[in-house]
Amino acid sequence: MLNPLRMSAALTCVWAAGTAAGQGLRFMDQTSARLVLSVATFTDAEEKDMAAADLDADGDPDLVVVRKAPFSVAGPRPDILLMNEGGVLIDRTAELAPGFLTAFTDARDVVIADVTGDAWPDVVIVGTFGSRPRLYVNRGLDAGGAWLGLMDETVSRLPRLATLLNQPSAPRFCAGAAGDIDGDGDLDLYFSNYNPEPAGVTEDVLLINNGAGVFTDDTASRLGDFRFSAFNTSGLFMDADNDGDQDIVKVSTLYDVAPWNETGVFLLLNDGAGRFTGSAPTRLASVDPYMVAAGALDQDQRPDLYVVKDTDDLTLTTAGAAGAGYLVTGVVSPRTTELGGNIHMADVDGDGDLDVGVGPVDTDIQNCDGPQAGSFELLANDGAGGLSVMPIVAGDVLSQRPHDFEFLDLDGDGMLDIVMGLCSGWRVYMQQEPPPPPPPPCPLDLTGDRIINALDITLVLNAWGLPGGPMDLNGDGVVDGVDVTFMLSSWGPCDP
């Protein structure tokens, strides 16, 4: 028969392995306690896109939310500044970003980055339906240490984008990106443009920073014909070929236009000086893509891609140590086979790799309800770039339908929470510590007090000489001194 001491150790190992493999994430809906709104209501049905950053340098993330009428309908709305005050997002738009209330935007994206070079993150709002991009400069702190908020400096810093005047329709920007594409140490801006009309051609826009946060439109000279798109809902900067400069990944989908004459995810290589016309573009995926996000999903720390499609989503992981080669693989989730929207990557489960959140709401097609409606998906990374459904054991995050969402540690506990801007309303989900594990088994604790002491030995002594039974600890058919010896060898608390 198995020695009880060895049996106890074996059961402990089985318990530990089982909980490590099967532990899921826990989220609690704390919207009413964590969100205070003024500009919007808790039933806000507008399209919402958002970005998080520590705007006031107090050590916690704040949130900018841009809004418009949902889907491909013009309808500018005021944007919102939510400041993190003790783990609560409070609407401080009127006091700290009053320009949001006077310059309504048909915004579809917001980029937070230090474009003025003063170490304070600024806010770029990306508008559609002819709404020009807007730049709000972070004013830093006053002499007393109070944050001064955001100031609208669009007119003095952004050009009027004359290159777009000859387009068949007003520009419809859907996404923005910031990165140093010319290697001069400051951040330049890229805007992805789309046109929902068949055979229509639009131009993406590339703005170059002069080092002080004033931009010029260098689109034509730096992109040439590669600036054209059919329906570009997503573009980004990343060093795809590992040569130290920022390349461009863009989408052209729905229908074929020159110079692509096909749809897909396209890579434009930087020549090192911020020009992209020296080599032919690479089509990374021959699909009808809509949204693309980049991050190091596998172990090589080079940027990989997640691509949202109307059918199964894709991941594109880097192949080899250099060059622009990518391996295209699918995503293991039945919930990413329909229309999708915004993507964000973060280490949600705290295991050291990037996980992926996928919003279900399409940019163009109304799918908040009806047969094409989906739900939020959270995908766990296996450490090598393989993505599958994240186990969630508490919280209804996977039943929500956000236009956009953000991962952020709202309360400073080291775990990422989720803020969602839903088709109707908002949600703030706080990630919770997992429940404490059950104590390991302790077979020799006969009284259940987690201590092996005289009380347990007394029970054995009371059964002395009886044949077998629960006090026969070694299973030899009799309660005797051997059983007492087992007790004495494990004397004291059960827990290590």
Side-chain angles (χ1 to χ4, degrees), residues 320-344:
Y326 282 83
L327 298 174
V328 180
T329 56
V331 176
V332 183
S333 169
R335 297 162 57 88
T336 57
T337 60
E338 302 294 339
L339 302 179
N342 287 305
I343 316 158
H344 298 287

Side-chain angles (χ1 to χ4, degrees), residues 1 18 23 84 88 95 102 117 120 129 150 156 183 185 195 315 334 365 368 393 401 414 445 469-470:
M1 177 167 286
Q23 185 69 57
N84 188 339
V88 180
E95 307 99 297
T102 57
W120 287 92
F129 290 103
L150 303 172
S156 61
N195 186 333
T315 55
I365 299 171
C368 280
V393 298
R401 293 174 181 170
D445 171 28

Side-chain angles (χ1 to χ4, degrees), residues 139-341:
R139 300 174 63 200
L141 305 180
D142 66 12
W147 187 54
L148 294 170
L150 303 172
M151 178 178 289
D152 188 352
E153 297 188 9
T154 302
V155 173
S156 61
R157 294 181 181 274
L158 296 184
R160 292 292 301 180
L161 303 180
T163 57
L164 301 177
L165 295 180
N166 295 324
Q167 292 196 155
S169 61
R172 298 187 178 189
F173 296 126
C174 195
D180 181 12
I181 64 104
D182 53 1
D184 61 355
D186 54 44
L187 297 180
D188 310 299
L189 295 173
Y190 187 88
F191 298 109
S192 299
N193 203 354
Y194 76 100
N195 186 333
E197 302 300 327
V201 179
T202 57
E203 299 177 28
D204 296 345
V205 170
L206 179 60
L207 302 185
I208 300 300
N209 194 333
N210 73 348
V214 178
F215 293 85
T216 56
D217 182 357
D218 281 8
T219 305
S221 63
R222 293 178 181 271
L223 290 177
D225 289 349
F226 299 155
R227 68 188 186 274
F228 296 119
S229 299
F231 194 89
N232 183 2
T233 51
S234 189
L236 53 87
F237 294 129
M238 70 178 196
D239 184 6
D241 53 359
N242 204 29
D243 64 353
D245 55 38
Q246 296 293 297
D247 308 303
I248 293 175
V249 173
K250 65 175 288 181
V251 164
S252 189
T253 191
L254 288 189
Y255 41 88
D256 299 346
V257 298
W260 322 106
N261 298 314
E262 57 187 353
T263 64
V265 179
F266 296 96
L267 170 63
L268 311 180
L269 292 178
N270 193 331
D271 67 359
R275 299 183 185 277
F276 300 86
T277 57
S279 58
T282 300
R283 186 165 71 156
L284 298 179
S286 57
V287 297
D288 289 325
Y290 294 95
M291 295 297 186
V292 180
L297 294 174
D298 55 19
Q299 299 293 331
D300 64 7
Q301 298 306 304
R302 291 178 53 215
D304 309 296
L305 297 171
Y306 187 99
V307 181
V308 163
K309 302 167 52 212
D310 280 352
T311 54
D312 295 342
D313 293 352
L314 301 174
T315 55
L316 283 68
T317 52
T318 47
Y326 282 83
L327 298 174
V328 180
T329 56
V331 176
V332 183
S333 169
R335 297 162 57 88
T336 57
T337 60
E338 302 294 339
L339 302 179

Side-chain angles (χ1 to χ4, degrees), residues 35 37-45 48 67 80 424-426:
L35 183 62
L37 296 172
S38 300
V39 173
T41 68
F42 277 89
T43 58
D44 180 5
K48 298 176 268 297
R67 303 184 308 145
I80 301 174
S424 179
W426 309 72

Side-chain angles (χ1 to χ4, degrees), residues 28-37 42 87-90 410 426-430:
M28 180 178 292
D29 183 350
Q30 295 186 2
T31 307
S32 60
R34 299 282 181 175
L35 183 62
V36 178
L37 296 172
F42 277 89
V88 180
L89 292 171
I90 299 179
L410 189 57
W426 309 72
R427 289 291 186 277
V428 180
Y429 288 101
M430 305 300 293

